[in-house]
Amino acid sequence: MCGIVGCIGKINTKKYLIEGLKTLDYRGYDSAGIAYLNNNQVEICKTVGSVSLLEEKSPKEITSFIGIGHTRWATHGVPCDINSHPVQSMNKTITLVHNGVIENFMEIKKELMEKGYKFTSATDSEVIASLIEDTLKSGKSMLKTLQSVMKKLEGSFACSIIWEEDKKHLYLIKRSSPIMVGVGDGFNLVASDAVPIIEYTKKIIDLDDDQIAIISDKEVNLYDIHVRPVIIKYSDKEPSLLSRDLNGYPHFMLKEIEEIENVVRRLCLNFFNGEEFTFDPHLMKDLHAADNIIFIGCGTSYHASLVGARFFRKQEIDADVFIASEWAYYPQISGKNPFVILLSQSGETADLIHCMRIIKEKGIKTLVVTNTKGSTLERNADYSILLNAGLEVSVASTKAYSAQVAALALLTSALKDRKKVVVDLNEACKIISQIRVREKSRLQALANKLKDSEHLFFLGRGYDHDFCLEASLKLKEISYIHSEAIPGGELKHGPIALIAQDTPVIVFISDPNTASSMRNNIQEVKARGADVYVVATHSLSKEDDFIIIPDYPIYLSSIAIAPIAFYFAYYASLAKGYNVDKPRNLAKSVTVE
Ligand code: F6R
């Protein structure tokens, strides 16, 4: 979603701000802006649209000691220049960029308006700027001012702030939205994500919630909400895992699909040393002691959670699965000794952070399965499993999904010391490679044929149905074709009414227990004129099935055959001429609730 950059000191300000914003653009945005000093005056340049447009619109060269930049994904107010960041306080003494959402901004705005403040934008961010300006009037230092402002603000924020009276420092405040500082030699950098910083320095400080940073070109000082100095700790970020190189691929999504095999193999090496599993023994102990596992996730991570819960139930451990934005408001906790597993590729999803707060209040232990080391969720969990899948740039998650499922397969197998999982995952990898070599062009042809469909249905049961949910999400989010995943047996309870002449239906059959029921479902939809494409494993296949793949351990459907759905969605989006990696209205890291 929104992205922040900032810099101070001896650095090419325009280059860092613009290039930095470009590296954050995968998160999704609709407008962009920068603020910098020109003859000691704060200048602002903003635009609706791309960072490249901003680059063209801004001066060719910017020699400024200090600068901040932002990509905005509209929440309060439509995308337009006025609502874009940086925003300023009424008297322009404060210029800031903000990620997050201020829940009580209307109340604060009203109070400030009663004092004579005027606002030009519809944003909650402008309210923070004027609140800082107003609080400074009482004669407090900036540090004390930021403390008092943070106490007033409800919601989430990461702000990078320039104060007209002290252009030798950048100020940061943070709660529930990520922000970090990169420490350089004669300069310091700010960003909401490590990607822009890592090219310049590996010394990165992740701010914790309710911290304030005061940054000069040579120093970084951190304070907690009581304005007590905080000892600085550097986070350990692996540059190769933050690379956003296309490596010759036309799109990140295609590259990321084709990385799945390596990602799964790497996970096996990370968590199995050839003789035994290497998960944290404390985590294993807590999982063994738990009588109910509560999975929470959103979107694709929710779909991976569904599979994870099946893995636990297979080991005779109760497991529930919830969508984060539902659980946050209707928390359900069963069992005498529950344990929560949160799945999040980004580790920054606001709905999950909300859940995490509730879970912590209840004193329940948590494991976060994430691709982002140092993310808010990772830092706040009792345990974390890192997917090490490398940066996922495409908004549509692919390799992170397969990695989540693989990590959970390894974890649950480790509980019973079931080493065969490693062999099974290798089998799944072989299927993935076979699909890449043999089926890609047929999937492209199918996508070209079905690209103008109004609806498309995915049918499956059990593990295949869990995967159908993901296949359907992937298709709709990047090709904008309406699609649904239907458990085979549910057809006759309603959805079959949607099947008409030539309605495309893609069916997955990999489970011998349900194969014949699935074949009956195929007859039912065919009788209504559906255009059916069956993907089946060899032993369950029929001659005219669309794709026949070798048999594989059925619990790994979401890994082995995932590329079929991912390629299909990719090629459908491509055929329709859409921006595959940046679908409309979506953001990579959903940092607002
Ligand atoms: C879809 C997709 C989203 C995310 C969801 C949760 O392709 O990527 O549905 O899975 O927004 O994000 P994370 O996993 O970062 O918590």
Side-chain angles (χ1 to χ4, degrees), residues 297-303 343-350 352 369-370 372 377 392 394-398 400 404 470 473-474 477-478 586-590:
C298 308
T300 290
S301 295
Y302 168 74
H303 295 155
L343 261 67
S344 176
Q345 185 280 130
S346 63
E348 298 294 352
T349 302
L352 276 165
V369 180
T370 181
T372 316
L377 287 168
E392 195 177 60
S394 180
V395 165
S397 181
T398 53
Q404 285 169 336
E470 180 53 15
L473 176 64
K474 219 84 303 174
E477 72 179 311
I478 60 168
L586 294 174
K588 184 69 190 162
S589 179
V590 186

mmCIF file of all heavy atoms in Angstrom, residues 297-303 343-350 352 369-370 372 377 392 394-398 400 404 470 473-474 477-478 586-590, ligand 1:
data_model
loop_
_atom_site.group_PDB
_atom_site.id
_atom_site.type_symbol
_atom_site.label_atom_id
_atom_site.label_comp_id
_atom_site.label_asym_id
_atom_site.label_seq_id
_atom_site.Cartn_x
_atom_site.Cartn_y
_atom_site.Cartn_z
ATOM 1 N N GLY A 297 -5.565 -15.729 8.841
ATOM 2 C CA GLY A 297 -4.893 -15.174 7.658
ATOM 3 C C GLY A 297 -5.880 -14.399 6.805
ATOM 4 O O GLY A 297 -7.077 -14.355 7.101
ATOM 5 N N CYS A 298 -5.385 -13.774 5.756
ATOM 6 C CA CYS A 298 -6.242 -13.038 4.819
ATOM 7 C C CYS A 298 -5.927 -13.510 3.409
ATOM 8 O O CYS A 298 -4.771 -13.827 3.111
ATOM 9 C CB CYS A 298 -5.923 -11.547 4.817
ATOM 10 S SG CYS A 298 -5.914 -10.772 6.406
ATOM 11 N N GLY A 299 -6.909 -13.496 2.542
ATOM 12 C CA GLY A 299 -6.705 -13.775 1.114
ATOM 13 C C GLY A 299 -5.954 -15.076 0.901
ATOM 14 O O GLY A 299 -6.328 -16.149 1.410
ATOM 15 N N THR A 300 -4.874 -14.982 0.146
ATOM 16 C CA THR A 300 -4.084 -16.157 -0.189
ATOM 17 C C THR A 300 -3.549 -16.836 1.077
ATOM 18 O O THR A 300 -3.519 -18.074 1.169
ATOM 19 C CB THR A 300 -2.922 -15.710 -1.108
ATOM 20 O OG1 THR A 300 -3.499 -15.344 -2.361
ATOM 21 C CG2 THR A 300 -1.893 -16.779 -1.317
ATOM 22 N N SER A 301 -3.150 -16.051 2.044
ATOM 23 C CA SER A 301 -2.614 -16.642 3.278
ATOM 24 C C SER A 301 -3.712 -17.384 4.041
ATOM 25 O O SER A 301 -3.446 -18.369 4.731
ATOM 26 C CB SER A 301 -1.998 -15.563 4.170
ATOM 27 O OG SER A 301 -0.882 -15.012 3.530
ATOM 28 N N TYR A 302 -4.947 -16.918 3.908
ATOM 29 C CA TYR A 302 -6.071 -17.648 4.500
ATOM 30 C C TYR A 302 -6.224 -19.003 3.795
ATOM 31 O O TYR A 302 -6.439 -20.031 4.439
ATOM 32 C CB TYR A 302 -7.353 -16.804 4.387
ATOM 33 C CG TYR A 302 -8.621 -17.568 4.694
ATOM 34 C CD1 TYR A 302 -8.941 -17.917 6.009
ATOM 35 C CD2 TYR A 302 -9.488 -17.954 3.675
ATOM 36 C CE1 TYR A 302 -10.103 -18.642 6.289
ATOM 37 C CE2 TYR A 302 -10.642 -18.666 3.950
ATOM 38 C CZ TYR A 302 -10.946 -19.005 5.255
ATOM 39 O OH TYR A 302 -12.081 -19.722 5.528
ATOM 40 N N HIS A 303 -6.069 -18.978 2.482
ATOM 41 C CA HIS A 303 -6.197 -20.247 1.743
ATOM 42 C C HIS A 303 -5.097 -21.230 2.149
ATOM 43 O O HIS A 303 -5.337 -22.430 2.269
ATOM 44 C CB HIS A 303 -6.154 -19.997 0.230
ATOM 45 C CG HIS A 303 -7.322 -19.191 -0.248
ATOM 46 N ND1 HIS A 303 -7.302 -18.429 -1.369
ATOM 47 C CD2 HIS A 303 -8.563 -19.034 0.298
ATOM 48 C CE1 HIS A 303 -8.477 -17.838 -1.526
ATOM 49 N NE2 HIS A 303 -9.252 -18.183 -0.513
ATOM 50 N N LEU A 343 -0.600 -16.478 9.394
ATOM 51 C CA LEU A 343 0.137 -16.589 8.135
ATOM 52 C C LEU A 343 0.093 -15.242 7.428
ATOM 53 O O LEU A 343 -0.989 -14.676 7.250
ATOM 54 C CB LEU A 343 -0.518 -17.645 7.236
ATOM 55 C CG LEU A 343 0.138 -19.020 7.245
ATOM 56 C CD1 LEU A 343 -0.034 -19.654 8.602
ATOM 57 C CD2 LEU A 343 -0.446 -19.910 6.179
ATOM 58 N N SER A 344 1.256 -14.744 7.030
ATOM 59 C CA SER A 344 1.275 -13.472 6.314
ATOM 60 C C SER A 344 2.557 -13.348 5.512
ATOM 61 O O SER A 344 3.640 -13.328 6.089
ATOM 62 C CB SER A 344 1.175 -12.314 7.312
ATOM 63 O OG SER A 344 1.276 -11.094 6.637
ATOM 64 N N GLN A 345 2.409 -13.262 4.223
ATOM 65 C CA GLN A 345 3.580 -13.083 3.369
ATOM 66 C C GLN A 345 4.334 -11.826 3.790
ATOM 67 O O GLN A 345 5.526 -11.854 4.028
ATOM 68 C CB GLN A 345 3.106 -12.982 1.907
ATOM 69 C CG GLN A 345 4.209 -12.915 0.870
ATOM 70 C CD GLN A 345 4.840 -11.546 0.717
ATOM 71 O OE1 GLN A 345 6.064 -11.430 0.737
ATOM 72 N NE2 GLN A 345 4.044 -10.508 0.610
ATOM 73 N N SER A 346 3.615 -10.703 3.891
ATOM 74 C CA SER A 346 4.263 -9.414 4.170
ATOM 75 C C SER A 346 4.613 -9.234 5.642
ATOM 76 O O SER A 346 5.526 -8.488 5.973
ATOM 77 C CB SER A 346 3.330 -8.279 3.758
ATOM 78 O OG SER A 346 2.149 -8.332 4.554
ATOM 79 N N GLY A 347 3.852 -9.867 6.502
ATOM 80 C CA GLY A 347 4.049 -9.659 7.940
ATOM 81 C C GLY A 347 3.573 -8.291 8.408
ATOM 82 O O GLY A 347 3.833 -7.881 9.541
ATOM 83 N N GLU A 348 2.869 -7.566 7.521
ATOM 84 C CA GLU A 348 2.450 -6.203 7.874
ATOM 85 C C GLU A 348 0.951 -6.008 7.701
ATOM 86 O O GLU A 348 0.480 -4.874 7.741
ATOM 87 C CB GLU A 348 3.176 -5.171 6.986
ATOM 88 C CG GLU A 348 4.684 -5.144 7.119
ATOM 89 C CD GLU A 348 5.165 -4.677 8.492
ATOM 90 O OE1 GLU A 348 4.335 -4.215 9.308
ATOM 91 O OE2 GLU A 348 6.377 -4.799 8.750
ATOM 92 N N THR A 349 0.209 -7.060 7.468
ATOM 93 C CA THR A 349 -1.216 -6.912 7.174
ATOM 94 C C THR A 349 -1.968 -6.392 8.410
ATOM 95 O O THR A 349 -1.935 -7.016 9.471
ATOM 96 C CB THR A 349 -1.774 -8.266 6.689
ATOM 97 O OG1 THR A 349 -1.009 -8.630 5.549
ATOM 98 C CG2 THR A 349 -3.228 -8.192 6.313
ATOM 99 N N ALA A 350 -2.614 -5.241 8.222
ATOM 100 C CA ALA A 350 -3.227 -4.556 9.362
ATOM 101 C C ALA A 350 -4.271 -5.421 10.069
ATOM 102 O O ALA A 350 -4.354 -5.424 11.306
ATOM 103 C CB ALA A 350 -3.851 -3.249 8.892
ATOM 104 N N LEU A 352 -4.322 -8.540 10.488
ATOM 105 C CA LEU A 352 -3.635 -9.534 11.334
ATOM 106 C C LEU A 352 -2.985 -8.878 12.547
ATOM 107 O O LEU A 352 -2.931 -9.466 13.636
ATOM 108 C CB LEU A 352 -2.561 -10.253 10.521
ATOM 109 C CG LEU A 352 -3.073 -11.423 9.701
ATOM 110 C CD1 LEU A 352 -2.046 -11.828 8.682
ATOM 111 C CD2 LEU A 352 -3.394 -12.616 10.574
ATOM 112 N N VAL A 369 4.059 -17.285 10.355
ATOM 113 C CA VAL A 369 4.725 -17.865 9.187
ATOM 114 C C VAL A 369 4.751 -16.762 8.142
ATOM 115 O O VAL A 369 3.704 -16.329 7.655
ATOM 116 C CB VAL A 369 3.955 -19.097 8.667
ATOM 117 C CG1 VAL A 369 4.659 -19.690 7.455
ATOM 118 C CG2 VAL A 369 3.805 -20.138 9.767
ATOM 119 N N THR A 370 5.930 -16.241 7.845
ATOM 120 C CA THR A 370 6.013 -15.044 7.010
ATOM 121 C C THR A 370 7.223 -15.067 6.102
ATOM 122 O O THR A 370 8.199 -15.769 6.361
ATOM 123 C CB THR A 370 6.063 -13.771 7.903
ATOM 124 O OG1 THR A 370 6.121 -12.623 7.051
ATOM 125 C CG2 THR A 370 7.262 -13.760 8.833
ATOM 126 N N THR A 372 8.695 -12.149 5.524
ATOM 127 C CA THR A 372 9.365 -10.870 5.774
ATOM 128 C C THR A 372 9.981 -10.796 7.158
ATOM 129 O O THR A 372 9.301 -10.555 8.158
ATOM 130 C CB THR A 372 8.381 -9.696 5.534
ATOM 131 O OG1 THR A 372 7.674 -9.968 4.332
ATOM 132 C CG2 THR A 372 9.122 -8.389 5.393
ATOM 133 N N LEU A 377 4.654 -8.334 12.356
ATOM 134 C CA LEU A 377 4.123 -9.583 12.919
ATOM 135 C C LEU A 377 5.264 -10.479 13.380
ATOM 136 O O LEU A 377 5.192 -11.098 14.445
ATOM 137 C CB LEU A 377 3.249 -10.306 11.896
ATOM 138 C CG LEU A 377 1.887 -9.652 11.653
ATOM 139 C CD1 LEU A 377 1.212 -10.249 10.426
ATOM 140 C CD2 LEU A 377 0.979 -9.818 12.871
ATOM 141 N N GLU A 392 8.670 -11.045 -2.903
ATOM 142 C CA GLU A 392 7.580 -11.312 -3.849
ATOM 143 C C GLU A 392 7.057 -9.955 -4.298
ATOM 144 O O GLU A 392 6.471 -9.216 -3.502
ATOM 145 C CB GLU A 392 6.475 -12.133 -3.181
ATOM 146 C CG GLU A 392 5.520 -12.725 -4.181
ATOM 147 C CD GLU A 392 4.465 -13.592 -3.518
ATOM 148 O OE1 GLU A 392 3.705 -13.068 -2.672
ATOM 149 O OE2 GLU A 392 4.399 -14.783 -3.825
ATOM 150 N N SER A 394 5.236 -9.258 -7.403
ATOM 151 C CA SER A 394 3.910 -9.272 -8.022
ATOM 152 C C SER A 394 2.842 -9.229 -6.926
ATOM 153 O O SER A 394 2.962 -9.921 -5.913
ATOM 154 C CB SER A 394 3.756 -10.549 -8.849
ATOM 155 O OG SER A 394 2.490 -10.555 -9.446
ATOM 156 N N VAL A 395 1.833 -8.414 -7.154
ATOM 157 C CA VAL A 395 0.773 -8.302 -6.143
ATOM 158 C C VAL A 395 0.117 -9.667 -5.906
ATOM 159 O O VAL A 395 -0.195 -10.036 -4.772
ATOM 160 C CB VAL A 395 -0.253 -7.225 -6.564
ATOM 161 C CG1 VAL A 395 -1.533 -7.339 -5.758
ATOM 162 C CG2 VAL A 395 0.357 -5.843 -6.385
ATOM 163 N N ALA A 396 -0.069 -10.411 -6.979
ATOM 164 C CA ALA A 396 -0.664 -11.748 -6.825
ATOM 165 C C ALA A 396 0.375 -12.688 -6.221
ATOM 166 O O ALA A 396 1.420 -12.944 -6.808
ATOM 167 C CB ALA A 396 -1.112 -12.258 -8.183
ATOM 168 N N SER A 397 0.059 -13.183 -5.059
ATOM 169 C CA SER A 397 1.011 -14.051 -4.364
ATOM 170 C C SER A 397 1.021 -15.445 -4.981
ATOM 171 O O SER A 397 -0.033 -16.030 -5.228
ATOM 172 C CB SER A 397 0.582 -14.129 -2.893
ATOM 173 O OG SER A 397 1.482 -14.921 -2.180
ATOM 174 N N THR A 398 2.200 -15.963 -5.259
ATOM 175 C CA THR A 398 2.297 -17.315 -5.824
ATOM 176 C C THR A 398 3.306 -18.133 -5.015
ATOM 177 O O THR A 398 2.938 -19.038 -4.280
ATOM 178 C CB THR A 398 2.724 -17.259 -7.314
ATOM 179 O OG1 THR A 398 3.911 -16.469 -7.420
ATOM 180 C CG2 THR A 398 1.642 -16.695 -8.175
ATOM 181 N N ALA A 400 4.912 -17.382 -2.398
ATOM 182 C CA ALA A 400 4.740 -17.302 -0.937
ATOM 183 C C ALA A 400 3.648 -18.275 -0.487
ATOM 184 O O ALA A 400 3.751 -18.887 0.580
ATOM 185 C CB ALA A 400 4.414 -15.884 -0.507
ATOM 186 N N GLN A 404 4.227 -21.205 2.067
ATOM 187 C CA GLN A 404 3.478 -21.327 3.332
ATOM 188 C C GLN A 404 3.001 -22.762 3.526
ATOM 189 O O GLN A 404 3.148 -23.348 4.606
ATOM 190 C CB GLN A 404 2.262 -20.382 3.319
ATOM 191 C CG GLN A 404 2.625 -18.916 3.513
ATOM 192 C CD GLN A 404 1.454 -17.977 3.241
ATOM 193 O OE1 GLN A 404 0.524 -18.304 2.518
ATOM 194 N NE2 GLN A 404 1.500 -16.794 3.820
ATOM 195 N N GLU A 470 -7.827 -20.811 -4.036
ATOM 196 C CA GLU A 470 -6.680 -19.987 -4.401
ATOM 197 C C GLU A 470 -6.645 -19.762 -5.917
ATOM 198 O O GLU A 470 -6.357 -18.654 -6.384
ATOM 199 C CB GLU A 470 -5.390 -20.665 -3.899
ATOM 200 C CG GLU A 470 -4.117 -19.926 -4.209
ATOM 201 C CD GLU A 470 -4.088 -18.480 -3.765
ATOM 202 O OE1 GLU A 470 -4.943 -18.060 -2.960
ATOM 203 O OE2 GLU A 470 -3.223 -17.750 -4.259
ATOM 204 N N LEU A 473 -9.182 -17.084 -6.686
ATOM 205 C CA LEU A 473 -8.744 -15.744 -6.262
ATOM 206 C C LEU A 473 -7.715 -15.195 -7.250
ATOM 207 O O LEU A 473 -7.778 -14.040 -7.668
ATOM 208 C CB LEU A 473 -8.144 -15.802 -4.846
ATOM 209 C CG LEU A 473 -7.550 -14.494 -4.320
ATOM 210 C CD1 LEU A 473 -8.622 -13.425 -4.170
ATOM 211 C CD2 LEU A 473 -6.855 -14.696 -2.985
ATOM 212 N N LYS A 474 -6.774 -16.065 -7.623
ATOM 213 C CA LYS A 474 -5.705 -15.617 -8.526
ATOM 214 C C LYS A 474 -6.298 -15.141 -9.840
ATOM 215 O O LYS A 474 -5.933 -14.103 -10.348
ATOM 216 C CB LYS A 474 -4.764 -16.803 -8.767
ATOM 217 C CG LYS A 474 -3.324 -16.490 -8.833
ATOM 218 C CD LYS A 474 -2.587 -16.391 -7.537
ATOM 219 C CE LYS A 474 -3.115 -15.416 -6.563
ATOM 220 N NZ LYS A 474 -2.446 -15.462 -5.274
ATOM 221 N N GLU A 477 -8.288 -11.776 -9.424
ATOM 222 C CA GLU A 477 -7.560 -10.555 -9.066
ATOM 223 C C GLU A 477 -6.708 -10.004 -10.205
ATOM 224 O O GLU A 477 -6.482 -8.805 -10.257
ATOM 225 C CB GLU A 477 -6.733 -10.722 -7.789
ATOM 226 C CG GLU A 477 -5.511 -11.566 -7.903
ATOM 227 C CD GLU A 477 -4.733 -11.664 -6.594
ATOM 228 O OE1 GLU A 477 -4.465 -10.638 -5.976
ATOM 229 O OE2 GLU A 477 -4.390 -12.802 -6.206
ATOM 230 N N ILE A 478 -6.258 -10.855 -11.125
ATOM 231 C CA ILE A 478 -5.423 -10.273 -12.187
ATOM 232 C C ILE A 478 -6.065 -10.267 -13.574
ATOM 233 O O ILE A 478 -5.633 -9.540 -14.444
ATOM 234 C CB ILE A 478 -4.019 -10.919 -12.254
ATOM 235 C CG1 ILE A 478 -4.092 -12.417 -12.523
ATOM 236 C CG2 ILE A 478 -3.218 -10.638 -11.005
ATOM 237 C CD1 ILE A 478 -2.731 -12.995 -12.873
ATOM 238 N N LEU A 586 -5.621 -3.105 -6.068
ATOM 239 C CA LEU A 586 -4.996 -3.995 -5.086
ATOM 240 C C LEU A 586 -3.623 -3.482 -4.676
ATOM 241 O O LEU A 586 -2.968 -2.771 -5.423
ATOM 242 C CB LEU A 586 -4.855 -5.408 -5.656
ATOM 243 C CG LEU A 586 -6.175 -6.133 -5.926
ATOM 244 C CD1 LEU A 586 -5.915 -7.453 -6.617
ATOM 245 C CD2 LEU A 586 -6.943 -6.355 -4.630
ATOM 246 N N ALA A 587 -3.203 -3.893 -3.501
ATOM 247 C CA ALA A 587 -1.886 -3.506 -3.011
ATOM 248 C C ALA A 587 -1.190 -4.742 -2.473
ATOM 249 O O ALA A 587 -1.845 -5.696 -2.043
ATOM 250 C CB ALA A 587 -2.028 -2.470 -1.911
ATOM 251 N N LYS A 588 0.122 -4.720 -2.495
ATOM 252 C CA LYS A 588 0.873 -5.898 -2.075
ATOM 253 C C LYS A 588 0.822 -6.086 -0.564
ATOM 254 O O LYS A 588 0.735 -7.187 -0.058
ATOM 255 C CB LYS A 588 2.329 -5.746 -2.545
ATOM 256 C CG LYS A 588 3.204 -6.945 -2.250
ATOM 257 C CD LYS A 588 2.785 -8.113 -3.114
ATOM 258 C CE LYS A 588 3.426 -9.412 -2.730
ATOM 259 N NZ LYS A 588 2.711 -10.564 -3.288
ATOM 260 N N SER A 589 0.930 -4.981 0.124
ATOM 261 C CA SER A 589 0.996 -5.091 1.577
ATOM 262 C C SER A 589 -0.172 -4.274 2.120
ATOM 263 O O SER A 589 -0.205 -3.052 1.951
ATOM 264 C CB SER A 589 2.351 -4.534 1.998
ATOM 265 O OG SER A 589 2.498 -4.584 3.365
ATOM 266 N N VAL A 590 -1.145 -4.954 2.689
ATOM 267 C CA VAL A 590 -2.406 -4.271 3.016
ATOM 268 C C VAL A 590 -2.325 -3.733 4.442
ATOM 269 O O VAL A 590 -2.702 -4.403 5.400
ATOM 270 C CB VAL A 590 -3.615 -5.200 2.788
ATOM 271 C CG1 VAL A 590 -4.919 -4.448 2.979
ATOM 272 C CG2 VAL A 590 -3.570 -5.778 1.379
HETATM 273 C C1 F6R B 1 -3.579 -12.405 -3.317
HETATM 274 C C2 F6R B 1 -2.849 -11.863 -2.205
HETATM 275 C C3 F6R B 1 -3.602 -11.384 -1.032
HETATM 276 C C4 F6R B 1 -2.769 -11.534 0.247
HETATM 277 C C5 F6R B 1 -3.493 -10.890 1.437
HETATM 278 C C6 F6R B 1 -2.747 -11.122 2.734
HETATM 279 O O1 F6R B 1 -2.739 -12.843 -4.335
HETATM 280 O O2 F6R B 1 -1.643 -11.767 -2.249
HETATM 281 O O3 F6R B 1 -4.832 -12.016 -0.912
HETATM 282 O O4 F6R B 1 -2.559 -12.893 0.484
HETATM 283 O O5 F6R B 1 -3.627 -9.530 1.209
HETATM 284 O O6 F6R B 1 -1.458 -10.638 2.666
HETATM 285 P P1 F6R B 1 -0.316 -11.176 3.604
HETATM 286 O O7 F6R B 1 -0.061 -12.591 3.260
HETATM 287 O O8 F6R B 1 0.847 -10.285 3.316
HETATM 288 O O9 F6R B 1 -0.818 -11.027 5.015
#
